[in-house]
Amino acid sequence: MRIESEQAFQRFVAQARKRSSARSREVLVCCGTGCLANGSAKVAEALAAELAKRGSDVPVATFTKRTGCHGFCERGPLVVLQPQGVLYTRVKPRDAAEIVEKSVIGGEVISRLVYKDPASGQRIPGYAEVPFYQRQTRVAMRNIGRIDPADIEDAVAHGAYAGLAKALFTMTPEQVIEEIEVAGLRGRGGAGFPTARKWRSCRAAAGDRKFVVCNGDEGDPGAFKDRSIMEGDPHSVIEGMVIGAYAVGAHEGFIYVRDEYPLAVVHLTLALEQARARGLLGANILGTGFDFDIRISRGGGAFVCGESSALMRSREGKVGEPRAKYVHATERGLFDLPTVLNNVETWADVGAILARGGAWFASMGTAKSKGTKAFSLVGKVKNTGLIELPMGTTLREIIYGIGGGVLGDRPFKAVQTGGPSGGCVPESLLDLPVDYEKLTEAGSMMGSGGMIVMDDRTCMVEVARYFLQFLTEESCGKCIPCREGLHQMLAIFEDLVAGRGKSGDIEKIERLARGMQLGSLCELGKSAPNPVLSTLRYFRSEYEAHIERRACPAGICRELTAYEIVETACNGCHACFKVCPVGAITGKIKELHVIHHDTCISCGACFDVCPTQAIRTFPKKELAERGVA
Amino acid sequence: MSLGKEMGTQAGEKGGRMLSLSVDGKSVQVREGAFVLEAARAAGVEIPTLCHHPALEPYGGCRLCLVDVTRPEWGGWCKLVIACQFPAEEGLLVHTATERVVETRRVVLDLLLARCPETPLVQELARRHGIEQTSYVANPEPTDCILCALCTRVCDHLGISAIATVNRGIGREVAPPWGEAPPDCIGCLACAEICPTSCIPYETSEGSRTIWGKTFEMLRCTRCGRAHVTVAEADFFAGRGGVPRSYFELCDACKRKEMAATFVKLSRGAAGFSVGA
């Protein structure tokens, strides 16, 4: 049943919508990776079984739908009842009977399962009214959570491929590129290169054989926006790529996706098959005579393959290593042929821009950064999850408005943006509007859209060391500044956190960082010093404390930190005793507990569990002054 | 890229148009398709390199050939690039010794010296840039391998691909597959001979040669009897076509002698010519 004309496409949309509205009653179960890990597959099964069992009692036919990630991973598994728009959080399989009985049949809201706003203490049943969702604007993630990613008709009923139809039936390739230019779309992989300029350059490149590539090799720790898009709405990616291929004149496309994203591979494969079967992909797309097909290429797990030139080498079957980009990929890319490579999120934006117009997209955002941006919000924040909002939203709005603030209401210390090569932005910059330029000015970057919130129990020197270690393991080793520079930089940081820092280390770090920034081959090495330089810029005193006073002000670095119990605050609850992994704490229930320094390994487990904040850290060197070994 | 493309001062594609650019104030002409490094060398400006070889595609690993490039219309803005891979452009102004170029090169050499503290080539290059001792932690297991990948690239270029760089980051090294005797190696020694620090060990003895843990039978020169090439190498190149197997019957020295003798014979036969006494 291939669609071969504009009329046929309209008929297909009408039919899909009709089927969708016939299923007006739906129980949506989030089957994104986060919720699946929390057991949502069992919840979906239980709900489907319960609905089947109570079939004759259910007044209107109700369907269970497994959707992609709703983003509110912190509260998963999530269940949404449509058309009421009621959101249930942390649903267990055993809740299925009650949900069907009370809500589906009885039309009641089960208060127990409704989200309780920690700020006001109120129960908020409406999905759209929950602050986490209320403040978001979804473009790239427009259909995630609303559609069944394994069902193309459901996607089409929600607007998928409308942008493609408009482009193919009513626009020339040049007009498509102009629309993207009007939108002001810039690369969502982090570098922010203007998409229209990239496409135009590839369109102008000589040759008949060109490629369109989707970079789905999202490897930053804590980032999962591309994963959720590929898993939750693979059609948005495919639609964008077909439009891009039409614009640049390409007939072959690849989606390079990490092998660590098995669900994304499954959903993309299914979506490609379904799109091909409908004539939305393959030969003679929608009867317009335009041919384009996409293949999936699975990555082997190297972080550096997220770098575009390394990704292309990997796709060619060679070792995934970057090369100089003095000749752009749009002229000589994959197999040395003109190639447009864009991030998953960029491709997902394209269809919406074509369908709703570039001006609509450009009406959101800041002067130079238009539209919306997806972020993975993680770390010490109450509402961990996936969000999308207009560019220019402040960090404060993201962390406190949507994120609900710091976990345990501890003081905010910094937010790390842009993945391991990004930087740490301190509290004084919380009102920073987030866009490409502002983050770069602050010494960080947009990067993958990862945001890691850190509280006061975070040592910034240790944070820098952690990211250095990650990058040291992931550097491909091709060029000297990155390979040897990261190795030496990590050695300096290992000394710092162990109290072996020397005066002059800071200057040494700064000099090496500059050499790596200027000398490295690819962005991995060039940006590797960012976590170091941004923490030095905003938290220099912590570095100085580690070197000059052999002290970790945050009380984290084990070699420099000792723990003790404040007598007046301990209520003898015994929690620390139970959690101590080395038996360094003694004390009977309801009596004062004591930490024995000779066995304590400074892991901080007691600190984290103490309900009365009776545990205090102090510099380990004071132990000597107290005469303790 | 064809062999010898970058050789000589008239670098670049044959027949391409000539480009004029300036390197440290000296104007120089190169053919379109040449790289900045060749322009600099044509202008007599020295730029250090470790991973560059005129017969191989530029690699960009050592980062020593960093230069600043600019154009008059850029209003003073400079771009830091590596000379071996940046294509020469008409009117380009190249500066090979700006402060940031010199400083970055020093950091790179300092790091390399930490990796190879006992390697004469590295020591000498570092010394010429004012570094006597590394300021970083010297490698406790000194190596002479600078990971320039000339060996693996020449092996690839010959169409053999018996060795490759393996592992990531600081663990990177040159090795045959699985660290075992490489099945594709023909014992041609191209890797060992191109190595700028001579750190690929091999042994040629009476009748056999051993490299990368693989021992090869040698072919003897039918005239002088010297073991001059491995049987595997002769088979490889003869099997690929273009070179007859008989080409390997004589060693290079005997081939030269034979050729000289042929010239002498020919010249004696030609009127008005005489060669030597």
Side-chain angles (χ1 to χ4, degrees):
Chain A
M1 214 214 50
R2 286 176 63 86
I3 302 161
E4 287 181 334
S5 69
E6 191 170 358
Q7 291 73 25
F9 179 74
Q10 298 310 341
R11 277 199 302 276
F12 177 51
V13 174
Q15 172 204 325
R17 287 208 181 122
K18 201 171 150 195
R19 193 195 70 161
S20 178
S21 53
R23 294 183 173 185
S24 60
R25 287 213 170 192
E26 287 179 323
V27 180
L28 309 184
V29 183
C30 179
C31 287
T33 299
C35 282
L36 280 177
N38 278 319
S40 71
K42 290 233 167 66
V43 174
E45 277 166 30
L47 280 164
E50 195 63 28
L51 279 169
K53 200 167 88 186
R54 303 289 305 266
S56 55
D57 303 333
V58 179
V60 181
T62 304
F63 300 85
T64 325
K65 180 152 96 183
R66 294 174 183 224
T67 71
C69 179
H70 286 245
F72 205 4
C73 312
E74 182 72 32
R75 313 292 303 183
L78 304 172
V79 170
V80 180
L81 306 179
Q82 293 290 27
Q84 304 91 321
V86 169
L87 170 72
Y88 287 155
T89 62
R90 296 199 176 151
V91 178
K92 301 263 179 314
R94 62 166 184 270
D95 299 325
E98 192 182 351
I99 291 173
V100 171
E101 173 70 35
K102 288 195 182 155
S103 300
V104 177
I105 301 172
E108 289 174 47
V109 170
I110 305 165
S111 174
R112 176 174 65 82
L113 295 172
V114 165
Y115 174 69
K116 187 176 171 187
D117 185 38
S120 59
Q122 280 184 332
R123 298 258 177 202
I124 306 173
Y127 189 90
E129 283 82 48
V130 171
F132 181 81
Y133 291 111
Q134 206 176 26
R135 296 164 196 253
Q136 293 191 46
T137 308
R138 294 186 161 202
V139 176
M141 307 198 303
R142 55 194 175 278
N143 281 342
I144 304 180
R146 298 170 66 206
I147 62 161
D148 175 353
D151 179 0
I152 192 168
E153 278 194 47
D154 197 26
V156 166
H158 287 85
Y161 297 103
L164 172 66
K166 188 173 166 190
L168 288 187
F169 293 129
T170 69
M171 298 167 86
T172 63
E174 288 80 7
Q175 285 172 326
V176 170
I177 298 179
E178 274 161 35
E179 200 67 48
I180 296 296
E181 187 157 52
V182 168
L185 180 63
R186 294 170 64 181
R188 262 42 179 170
F193 191 84
T195 307
R197 204 192 295 170
K198 192 184 268 187
W199 290 14
R200 190 164 283 139
S201 149
C202 186
R203 178 162 184 77
D208 298 331
R209 199 171 174 211
K210 295 175 182 177
F211 296 106
V212 158
V213 178
C214 170
N215 184 348
D217 194 54
E218 182 183 44
D220 291 0
F224 52 97
K225 66 168 181 77
D226 294 342
R227 170 183 210 152
S228 299
I229 293 172
M230 291 186 287
E231 288 176 356
D233 186 11
H235 292 288
S236 66
V237 180
I238 297 168
E239 181 183 7
M241 288 179 74
V242 182
I243 294 170
Y246 173 68
V248 305
H251 303 294
E252 292 162 82
F254 291 102
I255 301 176
Y256 189 97
V257 50
R258 322 177 58 187
D259 209 29
E260 291 89 334
Y261 286 178
L263 190 60
V265 174
V266 169
H267 285 179
L268 281 167
T269 308
L270 207 56
L272 288 173
E273 281 168 13
Q274 293 177 354
R276 229 175 262 130
R278 304 286 180 184
L280 292 157
L281 193 67
N284 192 18
I285 295 176
L286 292 177
T288 60
F290 173 62
D291 304 335
F292 175 70
D293 210 339
I294 300 173
R295 276 193 283 165
I296 293 175
S297 184
R298 292 186 295 170
F303 176 72
V304 75
C305 287
E307 198 276 343
S308 63
S309 65
L311 185 152
M312 291 183 210
R313 295 297 83 72
S314 168
R315 174 62 202 102
E316 290 167 5
K318 297 175 183 154
V319 178
E321 283 171 4
R323 67 176 188 188
K325 293 189 194 165
Y326 302 137
V327 178
H328 293 292
T330 49
E331 286 172 45
R332 267 185 62 188
L334 187 60
F335 299 109
D336 284 341
L337 293 166
T339 304
V340 157
L341 180 143
N342 282 125
N343 172 259
V344 169
E345 189 186 345
T346 316
W347 289 122
D349 280 332
V350 168
I353 290 170
L354 266 289
R356 301 188 63 175
W360 158 77
F361 191 78
S363 69
M364 297 176 283
T366 61
K368 286 184 177 172
S369 304
K370 300 296 185 191
T372 57
K373 180 78 190 77
F375 295 101
S376 330
L377 189 61
V378 298
K380 298 287 176 63
V381 63
K382 283 179 188 162
N383 300 334
T384 298
L386 184 68
I387 57 175
E388 184 173 348
L389 10 97
M391 291 272 191
T393 307
T394 65
L395 284 171
R396 190 183 300 280
E397 171 71 11
I398 295 172
I399 295 160
Y400 287 91
I402 297 169
V406 179
L407 213 57
D409 292 316
R410 295 198 72 91
F412 170 87
K413 186 161 184 178
V415 58
Q416 210 274 350
T417 75
S421 311
C424 295
V425 181
E427 196 188 2
S428 60
L429 292 177
L430 266 179
D431 291 311
L432 189 83
V434 173
D435 68 11
Y436 293 103
E437 281 71 29
K438 289 283 190 295
L439 281 176
T440 306
E441 279 166 34
S444 184
M445 62 181 202
M446 185 71 84
S448 57
M451 284 199 176
I452 305 173
V453 177
M454 299 169 184
D455 65 9
D456 62 330
R457 288 276 296 156
T458 310
C459 168
M460 301 315 284
V461 181
E462 167 55 26
V463 165
R465 191 209 60 80
Y466 169 80
F467 285 114
L468 283 172
Q469 181 167 356
F470 177 86
L471 292 168
T472 303
E473 284 164 14
E474 294 296 343
S475 161
C476 79
K478 177 174 175 177
C479 76
I480 297 173
C482 177
R483 178 186 69 232
E484 307 292 333
L486 274 166
H487 172 68
Q488 295 289 351
M489 189 76 99
L490 179 61
I492 300 173
F493 273 77
E494 278 170 350
D495 278 351
L496 286 181
V497 299
R500 297 189 300 264
K502 295 179 284 292
S503 75
D505 275 356
I506 293 181
E507 293 70 23
K508 198 167 162 183
I509 289 167
E510 285 171 331
R511 178 166 178 254
L512 179 53
R514 190 168 158 75
M516 290 170 66
Q517 284 179 324
L518 296 180
S520 295
L521 197 168
C522 81
E523 284 306 313
L524 192 155
K526 281 181 199 292
S527 61
N530 282 356
V532 171
L533 292 176
S534 67
T535 48
L536 250 180
R537 175 166 159 189
Y538 299 117
F539 303 95
R540 199 179 182 95
S541 65
E542 284 195 37
Y543 280 80
E544 288 162 354
H546 280 72
I547 297 168
E548 290 157 21
R549 293 190 281 118
R550 303 261 179 265
C552 174
I556 293 296
C557 294
R558 289 189 185 195
E559 303 292 323
L560 304 178
T561 304
Y563 289 77
E564 67 182 349
I565 292 171
V566 180
E567 291 181 21
T568 51
C570 178
N571 65 1
C573 74
H574 216 47
C576 57
F577 175 91
K578 288 181 197 153
V579 82
C580 181
V582 291
I585 300 177
T586 53
K588 288 183 185 145
I589 292 176
K590 293 195 178 170
E591 285 176 15
L592 177 66
H593 285 53
V594 176
I595 298 176
H596 297 276
H597 300 294
D598 48 351
T599 37
C600 174
I601 55 166
S602 300
C603 69
C606 52
F607 190 103
D608 295 334
V609 296
C610 180
T612 60
Q613 279 88 51
I615 303 202
R616 177 183 100 83
T617 64
F618 62 97
K620 209 170 212 171
K621 62 173 184 180
E622 287 176 18
L623 285 177
E625 291 155 26
R626 294 183 190 184
V628 184
Chain B
M1 180 165 304
S2 62
L3 256 157
K5 178 175 157 185
E6 303 159 53
M7 284 179 185
T9 55
Q10 295 267 301
E13 300 281 357
K14 257 193 188 141
R17 70 188 174 107
M18 297 303 285
L19 306 170
S20 297
L21 55 160
S22 140
V23 183
D24 289 346
K26 294 177 192 164
S27 46
V28 62
Q29 289 214 315
V30 290
R31 280 195 196 282
E32 191 168 16
F35 293 102
V36 165
L37 180 65
E38 299 149 57
R41 290 190 171 162
V45 174
E46 199 211 345
I47 296 177
T49 57
L50 280 174
C51 66
H52 183 261
H53 191 285
L56 297 171
E57 254 200 78
Y59 180 64
C62 77
R63 319 304 292 172
L64 289 177
C65 67
L66 280 168
V67 291
D68 256 315
V69 293
T70 186
R71 305 186 69 90
E73 64 269 24
W74 287 359
W77 184 74
C78 284
K79 184 154 81 170
L80 199 59
V81 300
I82 50 166
C84 69
Q85 279 182 315
F86 194 80
E89 294 168 12
E90 178 65 33
L92 193 73
L93 306 175
V94 182
H95 300 290
T96 71
T98 58
E99 194 194 336
R100 64 178 184 174
V101 164
V102 172
E103 172 61 14
T104 308
R105 201 173 278 159
R106 278 173 54 94
V107 170
V108 173
L109 280 169
D110 200 345
L111 288 167
L112 189 61
L113 188 60
R115 173 189 174 83
C116 309
E118 295 170 4
T119 309
L121 176 80
V122 177
Q123 288 171 333
E124 170 56 26
L125 201 54
R127 195 172 297 128
R128 281 198 349 240
H129 289 81
I131 303 160
E132 292 293 331
Q133 270 200 324
T134 179
S135 42
Y136 303 107
V137 183
N139 192 350
E141 294 165 29
T143 169
D144 282 330
C145 178
I146 57 174
L147 289 174
C148 63
L150 282 171
C151 52
T152 61
R153 285 185 288 146
V154 76
C155 192
D156 272 343
H157 191 81
L158 290 170
I160 303 162
S161 302
I163 51 169
T165 55
V166 298
N167 299 332
R168 282 203 293 261
I170 203 74
R172 187 184 178 93
E173 58 180 340
V174 173
W178 319 116
E180 293 166 5
D184 294 328
C185 181
I186 57 170
C188 70
L189 297 191
C191 54
E193 280 164 3
I194 205 171
C195 178
T197 62
S198 306
C199 73
I200 300 176
Y202 65 93
E203 215 173 74
T204 306
S205 63
E206 277 307 299
S208 78
R209 173 181 292 163
T210 303
I211 186 165
W212 296 112
K214 188 175 178 180
T215 301
F216 297 87
E217 188 194 336
M218 298 299 286
L219 206 59
R220 287 179 186 279
C221 173
T222 52
R223 187 154 305 163
C224 70
R226 192 171 69 88
H228 70 113
V229 66
T230 66
V231 173
E233 182 181 352
D235 288 347
F236 178 83
F237 286 108
R240 199 161 64 167
V243 188
R245 187 67 162 73
S246 58
Y247 178 83
F248 299 99
E249 284 170 10
L250 297 184
C251 70
D252 286 349
C254 289
K255 258 191 227 116
R256 270 196 295 275
K257 274 184 206 158
E258 190 179 63
M259 204 174 283
T262 308
F263 284 147
V264 168
K265 209 162 110 191
L266 281 173
S267 59
R268 281 199 181 131
F273 271 104
S274 72
V275 177

